Each structure stands twice: as C-alpha cells, then as structure tokens.
Amino acid sequence: KPEHFGFITGKYSIRFRTLSDFAEQTETVAVFAVHICRSGAWTPPWLDDRFYSFADGLGIPYETVNCPERAWNPARISFSEQVNFWMA
C-alpha cells in the first residue's frame, strides 16, 4: 500500500499508479523496466519454481541479479542451511 512507503514518498515526488489510471489513459505509456523481487524471507523455497515460471512466462528479456537458486530438500539439509535458504 502506498502508505507503507511514507519514508520514501516524503523525500521524493512519487505517484503510485492504479490499474484504473491506465484504463483512462489515452496515450501510449512506454515502460522501460519492471522490477520483480523474490525475497527468501517472504517466499518459501518450495515456490521458487513458480517464481521462475512467472518470470519466464512474461515473454520479455530479463536479468537475474543476486537471486540464488535454492534446492529445497529438508530431509537432507542442516538447520543452518534451512535458515540460509529462508534469507537468500
């Protein structure tokens, strides 16, 4: 929600768009970049395949930056590795 970003919006002129903003737009909007984030703390490792399928399904070129692959097999990893997976 926009109110969650007050620490940024108070410093910079940022306008959060809604889907209705785009529906009402009569001119073409050029989009140069889209940032998609997979946070290990928010996303369980067993859903990584769905994340990558989503990114691949966009059908546009993309670059993966600092997003390590996590092979989730809880029967074969230590507790410290589990914690690391959650934070990667």
Side-chain angles (χ1 to χ4, degrees):
K1 295 183 177 182
E3 59 268 20
H4 295 160
F5 297 94
F7 62 96
I8 295 173
T9 58
K11 294 180 182 180
Y12 303 98
S13 177
I14 297 174
R15 178 171 176 235
F16 293 94
R17 298 253 181 193
T18 65
L19 290 177
S20 61
D21 291 334
F22 292 104
E24 296 168 1
Q25 189 133 359
T26 58
E27 61 209 46
T28 301
V29 176
V31 177
F32 299 100
V34 176
H35 178 206
I36 302 171
C37 178
R38 186 224 65 199
S39 170
W42 301 335
T43 310
W46 53 87
L47 294 179
D48 283 358
D49 288 343
R50 285 184 170 186
F51 174 79
Y52 292 115
S53 292
F54 167 73
D56 291 337
L58 294 172
I60 58 175
Y62 66 89
E63 178 183 358
T64 302
V65 178
N66 196 17
C67 188
E69 290 189 35
R70 304 178 295 176
W72 184 247
N73 185 350
R76 303 189 82 180
I77 61 175
S78 68
F79 177 71
S80 64
E81 289 171 317
Q82 289 180 37
V83 171
N84 186 49
F85 276 134
W86 283 105
M87 299 313 294

